[in-house]
Every structure is written in structure tokens, then in C-alpha cells.
Amino acid sequence: MKKKLLILCCLILNLGAFAQKTDTLVIHDDESRYLTNRYFLELEDPQNKILARDVINNHNFHKLNERFPRLSYNKPITWLKFTIKNGSRQSDVPITISRSVIDEFDIYFVETTVDSNRVTHSRLRHLSAKDPENSSNMLTQSVTLVDAPLEPDSSITLFARVKSVATTVIPIQISSSDLFITRRGIENLINGAIMGMFAIMALYNLMLFIIVGDKNYLYYSFYIMFLALTQGIQLGFGNNLFSDNLKLLNNYITPLTRICFGYTLLWFAGNFLRFKQNITKPLYNVYQLLYVIYALPLLAILYGYSDLGYSLITFAIFFTCLILILLVSILYAKGFNPAKFFIMGWGFFLIAIMISICKNYGVVPYNYFTANIVVYSAITELILFSVALADQINFYRRQNTESQLAALAIAKENERLITEQNIVLENKVKDRTQELIETNENLSVTIDNLKSAQIQLVETEKMASLGLLTAGVAHEINNPINFVGANVSPLRLDLDELMELLEKFEAAANNPDKPELLDAANKFKQKVDADFLKDEIKSLLNGIEDGASRTAEIVQSLRTFSRIDEQGLTPTNINTAILNTLVILRSAIPYFIEIKPILNNLQPLNCYPGKINQALLNLINNAIQAIEAKKKYHNESITIYTHDFPDHITIEIMDTGIGMSNEVRQRIFEPFFTTKNVGEGTGLGLSIVFGIIEKHNGTIQVQSSPNIGSKFTVTLPKNLTNPVGDIT
């Protein structure tokens, strides 16, 4: 029994040892073969802790079920052990990795040498894709190459270390040297032609944008440029440009280029298919969500998580493909013609991307078709998108032609209708012309009547001012005249008595022999009280003199008002004009209104004195009427200020009247506007005041508040020389 168990254990160990053996990969002339699971064993190194000297005798290498080795987020580094035999006539064997994002590719083998004493020495030799002899050859620009030295008919066991931040299949290809050179030359020509096609397409559409001005061509040019960059890197051109810094290429440039490609795709699709106008708002929000999804790998790349960024880019591209196919299908179902070519081109590209993703995850086998499907589908996509843009131009052209034909038909119909309407209108114009002639004649008569009425109203306003002036003058002159008249009678009686006394003394003087005459004269003198008579005569004469002075003052005040229609400028003391106006209005000022003239020293001002007095008369009289309109009176006053400035003077007239609202204040200078009852005013007073101030090149401003009062500020310039215009 023990012997049987021992034999069984030996068999199991032998089977295990047999299971770990692989075939030797033999390369003949003009032959190229992939390193499949038949020829290699794998050793994972996710923590990057295994050194090259440790893998030589490491027994943890094992076979894979997958045909090709594959790196992923959880397995960024792997070791491969394989044996190759050079059956060709060349003394080297090129080992390449193409169509993959590879950070590091290193080959190690044990080199055995025999010295002169026939002593065998072994040392570990390192071969790297970064060696100058590999990167200097232009034939290697699209692949990651390690040139293994191997004499014909000899074998060697190699240990390959591969590192990548992206989930990808590792398509290691071992070729004979002559076939490698031949194929590299052909592939480089094809790759150059592909990149040239991308460049031509980008420049062509950019030129169309400049000529046509359609933004679709601009977005399409950007889309082609970033598609060319992603495919150029995929074809290996980035390895040649960044041969000394593959980490920068793989960790930043490659993923950022793919992210920019995604954004340009979204811009082009959204603008070309007019998502904002043609799809519902919820679907448009889903489309905008794609921009946010691409921001996730961008943040991961910027923060240094390149391995996570590649996974998020794969997810974003896959999700973008599905969403765009859905949205384009909806538009195509609605009959939006540009979606037809887009769904065809993007459908091919979607299938290619799906196959490429499945290839990287080991779902689809790696071969020439799956390795190049994205490139060729991109070319097909560009052709179909170009056709779609051309079709869009034709579509817009047809729309434009149809619009022009429709517009032409409408124009002809409008022309016919206009012709008919012109005939009707001509007849109506004739009738209306005759009516207008009659109406114009009536209007001319009406305008003449209105002008006459306006002249009469202005004259009425002047007569109203004159009436106010006349009433004040009559009242003012009447008082001193009555005073004079009252003193004349007693003065006549006093003079009669005085004359009689003089006659008596004269008779006594002429008849000295008659003393009785002198006694009679003395008795009469005592009777009339000559001293009292003398004082009374002086008093009466003083009263008469005072009345005459007051009459002269009133007459002097009237002199400026008598020149209302004068046309010449005259130097005038504005303070005197204000006082004269107050003299004229003295009788019109009620007892409960206090007049407060606060007048600063002013130099004579060049003006029209009569016009200025008329304006002052209207403003002060309006202030009196505003106070009289109040229902109750309390501390009512009119304050008049004058101020002197270097180039002008100001007159401020403040009252404690009823004030005005903003609506009334804005219209008080309009002709015929009045707040008084019918028959109480013409509405021309303040309009004439405004004209007078404007003739003096001055201004008038109003501040007023209801139930508080108003303030009129008149500004008159000192340098008035020429008249501005006539005032009616």
C-alpha cells in the first residue's frame, strides 16, 4: 500500500512538472510568430518587488489559460519566461510589442562564457527597449522593440518584464530579422499614409470652415486632429517622439489626448446634429452628462492616478458610444436626414471600439483584425462623416432653393395683389386728396383762428398783469392823494384866519389915530391863537409834502414797468427792481403774509428791465396766491434772496403756500396749463416768465412739496450782450 501511495505521489509531481513545461518557439527565415500561452509561463508582480536576479530560479511561474498575457489595474507588472530558437540565418531575433500602452519592456537572460582555462562563467544580461540601437532605427518607430542576440541554430531562455498603467493585451511578436525589416517598412508606409489622410482631412475641413463659416467644419477639424493624435500614438509614433520618457507619454499625453478626443466628439456631434433643438430636454441633459463623465478621468490623470484614469476613459468612451447611438437613432427615426450618415459612421466606430475594449480585456482574441480595427474604422468613419457634412450642405442648399422658389412665388403673388391694390388705392387717393384739400382749407382757417386766439390770450395775460399793476398803483397813489386832499381844507381855513389877522393889523397900522383898531386886532389874535395857527400850518404843509414824496416814489417805481416792450439792454440794479415790484404789490399783499427781502449787494446787470420786472411781478404774485389758497394761515411768509457769483446772479423766491405735486411741477411752464378754475387764469403767466428768463440766457428751476411750499430759483448771466429772440 505504501508503495502505491509513493508511486501516486511521484506521478502527481511528474504531472505537475510536465504541466509547467512549454514548447520552444522556433523562428525560421521569413517567419513571424506571436508568443502565445503555448510558449511562455507567467509570474505576476503587482507590488513591483521581484528583482531580475530573483526570477532566474523562481519556481512560481505558471501557465495561463488565456492565449496572450494581459495587464490590468490589479496586475500592472508581469514576468514572462519563454525559450526561443533561432532557425534563421541572421544572428539576432527582434522581439516586439505593438498596438499597446507599454511603460517598460525589458528582457533578461543568463549569458555563459568560457575563459582560457575552460572555466564556465555565468552573468545576467539585460536588454531594454530604451537601448539606443533600438530607438535609433526609424523602422522601430511604431513598435516597442528588443533585439535579442541569438546565433543561428541556437536556443535561449528569456525572462521578459512588462509594465503598463492601462488594461491591455501584450501582443509579443517574435520575427526573423529579414521579415521584421520588410514588414516594418510596409507598416511604416501604411501608417504614414493613414496619418497623412488624417492631416489632409483636418486641413480640408478647416479650409471649408474658413470659406463657408459653418462651425460644424471647425468642430470636425478638431475632432479629426485629436482622432489622428490618438491613432498616431496607438500606431506607435509617440514611442519615437518620447522614447526617453515613456512615463510622460503613457501617464499623461496618451490619456489626455483620448479625453480631448471625447470632448471634440461631443462638440461635433452636438453641433452637427443640433441636439439642443432636436431632442427633448431630459435627453439633452443626458448628453450634457457625458461632459461630466469625461471630467472624472481628467481629474484622475491630473492627480497622478493614471491606471484609474485609463479605466475611467474606457468607461467614458463606452458610455458615450451607447448614448450617441441612442440619440442619433431617435433623430433618424424622426426623419432627420443628417443622422443617417452619422449613425452609419459612428456605428462602425462603436463596433470597432467595443471589439478593441473586449480585446484588451481578453474577451476577443488578439489578431491583426482586432489590433487594427479601430484605425480602419476611424478612416471609414471620417469618410462617412465627410459625406454627412456634404449631404448637409446639399440639404441646406435644397432648403435654400426651395425657400427661394417659395419666396419667388410669394413675391409674384404679392406683386399681383399689390397691382390690384394700387389701382384701388389710386382711386381712394384721389378721393382722399380732394377731402384733404378741403380739410386743409378748413384747418388753415382754424389755425388762423387759433393764432388770433393765442395772441388774444397773450394780450389778456399782459392786460391781467397791467390790471394788477394798475390796481396796485391806484391804491398806492390814492392814499397820499387823500392825505393831501384832507390837509388842504384846514390849511385854507388857517390861511383865511391868518390873512384876516394880517388885514386887522394892517388897518391899525394905517390908522394910528384909531387905537380901537389895534385893540380889535389884538383881541382877534388872542381869539385865533396865532402860535397854534403857525404850528398847525407847518404840520399841514409837512403832511402835504409827505404825500407828494410817496406819490413821487410810486411814479418812480412805475418807470421800469412802463418799458415792458423795450428792445434794448440796460444796466439795472436787480435789488431795486425787486423793491419796486414790492411797492407796486404792497396793496395786494394780505396782512398775514410777511415779506422778507434778503438782498446781497449786486452790481448793475445788463438786462431788459421791464421784462425782468414783469417776471418778478408774476412770480411774487403767484407766491401770494399760493399762500392765499391755503385753508389756514400760520406764520406765512415770502422770502426773496439774491446772490452774487462770478459769472451770474441768482434770485430765490420762497413761499409757504400749498406747494405742487411732481406731476404739476413738471408742467407749470407749459402754455395754457393752469390748476385754477375756469375764468380765474389763462395758464400763460409762468410760460411768459420762462420765455423772459430764456431770452436772458438764464434758467429757472422749481422745488416744491405739497402743503410745504415752493421755491423758484432764477439764474441770470452777467455777460448778456445780444438778444436771443423776441418774447410775445
Side-chain angles (χ1 to χ4, degrees):
M1 184 67 182
K2 292 181 180 180
K3 291 181 179 181
K4 292 181 178 179
L5 291 175
L6 183 59
I7 294 171
L8 181 60
C9 290
C10 291
L11 289 173
I12 292 173
L13 290 175
N14 290 330
L15 288 174
F18 178 76
Q20 297 301 321
K21 291 182 179 180
T22 57
D23 294 339
T24 298
L25 182 59
V26 182
I27 299 298
H28 301 91
D29 288 328
D30 296 327
E31 185 178 21
S32 177
R33 302 179 68 178
Y34 283 110
L35 184 65
T36 62
N37 57 356
R38 175 182 172 185
Y39 303 106
F40 71 85
L41 298 176
E42 184 185 46
L43 175 64
E44 295 89 351
D45 185 16
Q47 304 298 326
N48 194 19
K49 294 182 178 180
I50 301 176
L51 301 178
R53 63 175 179 268
D54 298 329
V55 301
I56 302 300
N57 298 314
N58 195 309
H59 300 289
N60 293 322
F61 280 95
H62 58 85
K63 289 183 68 70
L64 284 181
N65 293 326
E66 298 176 353
R67 187 165 182 261
F68 292 100
R70 183 171 61 87
L71 295 178
S72 63
Y73 177 77
N74 297 321
K75 190 179 67 172
I77 301 175
T78 188
W79 286 86
L80 303 176
K81 179 181 179 182
F82 56 95
T83 302
I84 61 175
K85 181 180 180 180
N86 185 5
S88 67
R89 291 170 293 180
Q90 288 78 26
S91 59
D92 59 333
V93 177
I95 304 174
T96 60
I97 299 179
S98 60
R99 305 287 192 271
S100 297
V101 179
I102 300 298
D103 292 338
E104 298 176 9
F105 181 47
D106 301 285
I107 299 292
Y108 298 89
F109 66 93
V110 178
E111 185 178 47
T112 303
T113 59
V114 181
D115 61 12
S116 59
N117 297 324
R118 297 185 179 181
V119 178
T120 302
H121 298 277
S122 299
R123 68 183 183 93
L124 189 66
R125 184 174 174 183
H126 174 224
L127 298 175
S128 173
K130 297 181 181 180
D131 290 342
E133 59 268 20
N134 294 320
S135 59
S136 62
N137 189 349
M138 292 301 293
L139 294 174
T140 66
Q141 64 180 2
S142 61
V143 296
T144 302
L145 168 67
V146 173
D147 204 1
L150 187 60
E151 294 298 326
D153 295 326
S154 60
S155 300
I156 190 172
T157 299
L158 303 175
F159 298 88
R161 180 180 179 272
V162 188
K163 180 182 178 181
S164 175
V165 294
T167 298
T168 180
V169 173
I170 306 173
I172 299 176
Q173 192 172 20
I174 303 172
S175 309
S176 63
S177 181
D178 53 352
L179 181 62
F180 171 77
I181 294 173
T182 303
R183 285 189 175 179
R184 284 302 104 195
I186 296 173
E187 289 184 7
N188 288 339
L189 289 175
I190 294 174
N191 294 341
I194 291 173
M195 297 308 296
M197 183 181 297
F198 282 131
I200 291 172
M201 293 292 291
L203 293 175
Y204 173 72
N205 285 278
L206 188 61
M207 182 183 65
L208 287 178
F209 165 72
I210 295 173
I211 296 173
V212 178
D214 190 347
K215 288 185 178 180
N216 284 323
Y217 292 104
L218 179 63
Y219 292 145
Y220 190 45
S221 297
F222 283 124
Y223 170 75
I224 295 173
M225 284 189 285
F226 281 102
L227 178 61
L229 287 175
T230 57
Q231 297 307 311
I233 293 173
Q234 184 71 15
L235 291 173
F237 288 96
N239 292 352
N240 188 52
L241 295 175
F242 297 91
S243 58
D244 295 331
N245 197 348
L246 290 179
K247 184 176 180 180
L248 174 64
L249 173 67
N250 295 330
N251 289 0
Y252 294 100
I253 295 177
T254 299
L256 290 177
T257 303
R258 294 182 182 181
I259 292 171
C260 292
F261 163 73
Y263 277 122
T264 54
L265 169 63
L266 294 177
W267 291 337
F268 169 63
N271 193 72
F272 176 70
L273 298 173
R274 299 181 182 179
F275 283 154
K276 192 171 185 179
Q277 294 82 14
N278 294 333
I279 61 177
T280 61
K281 188 173 181 180
L283 290 176
Y284 186 72
N285 291 336
V286 174
Y287 161 72
Q288 290 183 314
L289 179 64
L290 296 176
Y291 288 94
V292 180
I293 293 176
Y294 275 100
L296 299 178
L298 179 62
L299 293 175
I301 297 299
L302 294 179
Y303 280 96
Y305 298 99
S306 301
D307 47 359
L308 177 61
Y310 274 103
S311 299
L312 292 175
I313 290 173
T314 300
F315 168 76
I317 292 177
F318 177 76
F319 194 67
T320 299
C321 293
L322 293 180
I323 295 301
L324 288 182
I325 285 295
L326 173 64
L327 297 179
V328 176
S329 300
I330 293 174
L331 292 180
Y332 182 68
K334 290 182 178 180
F336 188 64
N337 194 56
K340 176 177 63 176
F341 294 101
F342 193 94
I343 196 172
M344 291 172 61
W346 190 242
F348 286 132
F349 198 57
L350 169 63
I351 294 172
I353 290 176
M354 295 289 291
I355 292 174
S356 179
I357 293 173
C358 293
K359 174 202 68 179
N360 291 334
Y361 282 89
V363 178
V364 174
Y366 182 93
N367 52 43
Y368 180 83
F369 174 75
T370 57
N372 295 278
I373 188 172
V374 174
V375 176
Y376 296 123
S377 65
I379 296 174
T380 305
E381 176 197 20
L382 290 182
I383 295 172
L384 290 174
F385 280 179
S386 299
V387 173
L389 285 172
D391 180 73
Q392 186 186 48
I393 293 176
N394 293 330
F395 175 73
Y396 290 149
R397 185 178 299 168
R398 287 194 299 271
Q399 278 190 334
N400 188 30
T401 302
E402 292 174 359
S403 300
Q404 289 178 350
L405 291 175
L408 182 61
I410 294 173
K412 289 182 177 180
E413 179 65 19
N414 289 338
E415 183 180 1
R416 184 186 64 81
L417 294 174
I418 289 172
T419 303
E420 294 178 356
Q421 290 295 323
N422 284 338
I423 297 173
V424 176
L425 286 175
E426 286 178 359
N427 295 328
K428 289 185 177 181
V429 166
K430 291 180 180 179
D431 297 337
R432 291 295 296 166
T433 301
Q434 185 63 33
E435 293 177 2
L436 287 174
I437 292 173
E438 297 175 358
T439 303
N440 285 336
E441 293 176 354
N442 296 332
L443 283 176
S444 298
V445 175
T446 304
I447 291 172
D448 292 338
N449 294 335
L450 286 175
K451 287 182 179 180
S452 299
Q454 182 179 5
I455 293 172
Q456 292 176 2
L457 284 173
V458 173
E459 293 298 325
T460 300
E461 184 63 25
K462 289 183 179 180
M463 292 303 295
S465 298
L466 184 61
L468 178 65
L469 178 66
T470 303
V473 169
H475 186 274
E476 287 298 314
I477 291 180
N478 188 53
N479 287 334
I481 292 300
N482 288 338
F483 189 70
V484 170
N487 286 352
V488 168
S489 295
L491 179 62
R492 181 178 289 111
L493 292 175
D494 290 342
L495 289 175
D496 289 343
E497 290 179 350
L498 183 61
M499 293 301 295
E500 185 178 354
L501 178 62
L502 289 175
E503 288 175 357
K504 290 184 180 292
F505 275 105
E506 184 180 3
N510 293 330
N511 299 290
D513 54 345
K514 295 181 178 180
E516 63 277 9
L517 293 175
L518 182 60
D519 293 336
N522 288 326
K523 288 181 181 179
F524 187 77
K525 179 181 179 181
Q526 293 176 354
K527 177 181 178 181
V528 298
D529 193 356
D531 292 334
F532 171 78
L533 187 64
K534 179 175 65 175
D535 293 338
E536 186 178 20
I537 289 173
K538 288 181 179 180
S539 175
L540 291 173
L541 288 175
N542 289 334
I544 291 172
E545 184 180 11
D546 182 61
S549 298
R550 291 185 62 186
T551 303
E553 178 186 1
I554 295 170
V555 172
Q556 180 66 27
S557 298
L558 284 172
R559 292 181 63 188
T560 55
F561 285 94
S562 66
R563 300 197 299 262
I564 289 180
D565 293 327
E566 66 185 358
Q567 298 298 319
L569 293 170
T570 305
T572 303
N573 191 316
I574 297 299
N575 290 340
T576 302
I578 293 172
L579 295 176
N580 289 339
T581 303
L582 292 176
V583 169
I584 300 301
L585 289 173
R586 186 183 300 163
S587 61
I589 301 174
Y591 69 93
F592 52 82
I593 299 177
E594 180 183 3
I595 305 297
K596 301 177 181 179
I598 304 175
L599 309 176
N600 292 317
N601 187 27
L602 300 178
Q603 296 296 325
L605 182 72
N606 209 28
C607 65
Y608 301 96
K611 300 295 184 182
I612 292 295
N613 278 278
Q614 184 182 6
L616 293 172
L617 181 71
N618 283 343
L619 290 174
I620 297 173
N621 188 53
N622 277 354
I624 295 171
Q625 293 176 355
I627 295 175
E628 289 178 337
K630 297 177 71 174
K631 295 181 179 180
K632 294 182 180 180
Y633 307 117
H634 179 70
N635 294 332
E636 309 299 340
S637 65
I638 297 174
T639 305
I640 305 173
Y641 295 94
T642 59
H643 300 283
D644 187 25
F645 295 96
D647 57 348
H648 67 277
I649 68 165
T650 58
I651 306 170
E652 297 178 0
I653 301 176
M654 301 173 58
D655 64 70
T656 57
I658 58 175
M660 295 175 284
S661 64
N662 288 332
E663 292 77 7
V664 173
R665 181 174 58 81
Q666 292 174 1
R667 300 187 60 192
I668 57 173
F669 295 118
E670 295 180 8
F672 309 112
F673 175 77
T674 180
T675 57
K676 298 176 182 179
N677 296 326
V678 177
E680 295 183 1
T682 62
L684 290 173
L686 289 178
S687 175
I688 292 176
V689 170
F690 184 84
I692 292 172
I693 302 304
E694 191 176 49
K695 181 174 182 178
H696 286 81
N697 287 346
T699 60
I700 181 168
Q701 297 178 346
V702 185
Q703 298 175 356
S704 183
S705 299
N707 302 320
I708 294 179
S710 302
K711 174 182 176 182
F712 287 78
T713 303
V714 177
T715 301
L716 297 174
K718 293 182 178 181
N719 58 351
L720 184 64
T721 55
N722 297 315
V724 176
D726 295 334
I727 304 173
T728 57

